[in-house]
Amino acid sequence: MAPKFFFNSTLTVLILTLILGSFPAPVQAASIGLAELASAGKFSSPTTQRIVDKPDFAFKNETLQQLTVKEHVFKFYLDPALVPNLDFAKIVLPKYIADMNAILAKNTDRRLVFNPETDIILTNTQPHSNQATPPLPVENFEIWANAVLSNYPVSYGGYAGVDSSGAGVLAGLNWTRLYDPELLASGELADYWTQISNMLHEMAHVFGAGIGEYYNLSIIKDATEVSPLLDIDIFDSDDSFWSDKPDFMADPLLRNVVRTEGLEWLSTREALLAFVRYSDLSATIMSGNYRNAVPTADLSNIVVRITTDGGTPIDNANVKIWSVVGNSSYQAQLMVDDSTDPSGQISFAWGGPNNPHNNYDFLRLIKVYKDGYTPSAKYISIFDADIVKLIDGSDSLDITIPLEKTDPLPSTSTFADVSIDHFAWPWIEKLYSAGVTGGCSTSPMLYCPDQIVTRAQMAIFLERSMKGSGFIPPSIPTSFADTTGHWAQDWIEALASDGITGGCGNGSYCPDAPVTRAQMAIFLLRAMYGADYMPAPTSGLTFADVSPTYWAVTWIEQLNNENITSGCGGGNFCPDAPVTRAQMAVFLGKAFNLP
């Protein structure tokens, strides 16, 4: 667990100890974080487990391999209940230090120096003050581990503390017992390595690494309610955020590997010593003198560059950027809604009044839209900015997002009454290509773009868009008084079964009534997100003709937020106007991202 600091005349550490309320741990996993699962049972996920093969990571920063060793005296402050035999402690604790030094030696310049005759202190009292006068020393300071007897049958917990002497403290450790790592009995390896992993985790924090916690980015749910939705899931091998960070998978700052399913092959101490290593970012920070502050890229002018797959800039692409909170509510706040310039770029500032190395301000979600291209989404974290600065050696955070072209449209119109210069022509072609519509006439092929869409026609449009052109609704008794024997009866019942409509009132559906643009907003969003979907409250100020008290205001503004509509012109939405078949094609094409 990372420290939080308050800078006044002294440096005070906000002590946040990982104490579990109940076992087993999988229930606690989301709130505790993977790297801190020094608790009971293993973390499990219903999704595909991310399994990392035995790594042989190349260093991105080659200077890590040529460092001058910096030594730190290490002291154990232990609960006497943990040490019934001091001679045993003097034998086994040097082996603890050797295992930690083996990990440190892989890619950091830090080493621990330990004298078992003088550096084991038995005490029932917390040894550290948790306050110090800044700046903290960055070299030659002592590192202390303070462990007490665990109240549970497993070892767990930890936070990065500080002492007024400048010592860094691996505090809040709860251990079951001391082990001889060379004589571990069956079932003891996981508990022993949990003790080692938690010390390595907090030690990295002492040196300034991982503030904000990598593990807070293990699972992130997209709460923007704007498609395309993009989650972060470290257990998904195709996850776009973690797939380019393989060196993090063995980092004790991210997770305790003996408490992670999918890594059961790490069944020996030797395998763990070979596998575990700090990521390049963690190692660079630990080896640098960054205990008081970690430099990052320039966050005041971040460039987002939108290109084709071939690298050609795309101008006038809509770019939306949200700030995402890394806790279980995953609140998302829209920060930027802008269009790229002729060079395909926009720039923005990270924002926020404080250091963004915290889980309330450490993540941004970028979504990009351009007609003729598939929408794209990408997460950027403050740790990505740190990598740019410390590993890549650049002050500029430049983000390139390539867009993939959708399938090219035919050069001639499928329908005789829709010319290729008609505003809805590309969307009508997409609708036809997807099998959602065959038009309003087959001989000749006509679409009737200016014809009003009825509620019956809308049922077919939505069901085919949701379920594909091959969907045929089952024949079931009608639930509406006015649809028995109607040509679209089965489609209407399917729409009702999906929870998208409850009819027009008084037990009726009004199948031949026109669909208004306000009604369409509700139908579309429910079709996209499910019957229980409710849009978030809105300002009611987006469209001049949709007041904050209008009955469908939140639905209309959400449709605008989704980039599905920009209104009917002149700053208006025309909520009570009927939807034409041409407009319907645009709505459906954008809502369901038809190719």
Side-chain angles (χ1 to χ4, degrees), residues 511-552:
D512 300 315
V515 181
T516 68
R517 289 170 59 87
Q519 293 168 343
M520 195 70 244
I522 300 174
F523 287 131
L524 280 171
L525 290 169
R526 282 183 177 166
M528 292 167 65
Y529 298 123
D532 296 330
Y533 173 77
M534 288 294 294
T538 52
S539 66
L541 302 175
T542 301
F543 298 107
D545 59 348
V546 181
S547 73
T549 58
Y550 187 77
W551 66 273

Side-chain angles (χ1 to χ4, degrees), residues 303-307 311-316 340-346:
V303 174
V304 179
R305 183 176 293 104
I306 310 303
T307 70
T312 302
I314 300 175
D315 69 338
N316 203 34
T340 54
D341 61 21
S343 64
Q345 298 182 11
I346 69 160

Side-chain angles (χ1 to χ4, degrees), residues 1 29 49 79 122 134 136 144 156-157 159 170 202 204 217 260 275 284 292 356 383 414 430 436 472 478 530 549 591:
M1 177 178 287
Q49 299 299 320
D79 182 346
L122 304 185
L136 296 172
W144 304 346
Y156 70 94
Y159 68 87
L170 321 182
E202 305 308 339
L217 290 165
T260 303
F275 179 83
T284 300
N292 293 286
F383 303 118
T414 300
K430 290 173 185 286
V436 175
I472 299 175
T478 182
T549 58

Side-chain angles (χ1 to χ4, degrees), residues 272-508:
L272 289 164
L273 288 170
F275 179 83
V276 174
R277 73 187 304 149
Y278 290 107
S279 63
D280 287 342
L281 177 61
S282 298
T284 300
I285 294 172
M286 294 174 69
S287 296
N289 292 333
Y290 300 135
R291 192 182 182 197
N292 293 286
V294 177
T296 192
D298 180 8
L299 300 178
S300 65
N301 186 38
I302 303 167
V303 174
V304 179
R305 183 176 293 104
I306 310 303
T307 70
T308 65
D309 283 338
T312 302
I314 300 175
D315 69 338
N316 203 34
N318 178 229
V319 179
K320 299 179 187 291
I321 303 174
W322 287 264
S323 172
V324 179
V325 174
N327 58 31
S328 58
S329 59
Y330 309 114
Q331 300 106 313
Q333 180 177 358
L334 184 64
M335 300 173 53
V336 177
D337 189 350
D338 202 354
S339 297
T340 54
D341 61 21
S343 64
Q345 298 182 11
I346 69 160
S347 60
F348 75 102
W350 192 273
N354 302 312
N355 185 328
H357 287 84
N358 64 80
N359 71 324
Y360 292 97
D361 195 33
F362 67 173
L363 189 62
R364 299 293 182 262
L365 174 55
I366 306 171
K367 299 189 180 185
V368 186
Y369 308 88
K370 175 71 174 180
D371 287 349
Y373 294 85
T374 302
S376 184
K378 182 180 181 66
Y379 283 100
I380 296 293
S381 78
I382 191 61
F383 303 118
D384 291 300
D386 294 343
I387 290 171
V388 166
K389 174 68 175 181
L390 296 172
I391 305 299
D392 300 338
S394 174
D395 288 325
S396 300
L397 179 55
D398 293 345
I399 303 157
T400 298
I401 301 178
L403 296 185
E404 182 180 347
K405 256 189 172 299
T406 54
D407 291 337
L409 293 167
S411 58
T412 59
S413 178
T414 300
F415 299 102
D417 58 347
V418 182
S419 65
I420 62 173
D421 58 358
H422 189 284
F423 81 92
W425 171 69
W427 302 102
I428 293 169
E429 293 292 341
K430 290 173 185 286
L431 214 62
Y432 176 75
S433 177
V436 175
T437 183
C440 63
S441 169
T442 57
S443 184
M445 287 288 285
L446 300 175
Y447 181 75
C448 307
D450 300 321
Q451 189 178 93
I452 301 302
V453 176
T454 67
R455 290 169 59 88
Q457 293 167 340
M458 178 205 63
I460 302 175
F461 277 132
L462 289 176
E463 287 293 317
R464 283 182 175 166
S465 295
M466 289 189 294
K467 300 172 183 177
S469 60
F471 173 70
I472 299 175
S475 294
I476 58 175
T478 182
S479 56
F480 299 106
D482 58 349
T483 58
T484 301
H486 193 281
W487 63 271
Q489 173 186 326
D490 293 342
W491 296 93
I492 293 167
E493 287 303 318
L495 201 68
S497 296
D498 290 333
I500 295 171
T501 183
C504 61
N506 299 319
S508 297

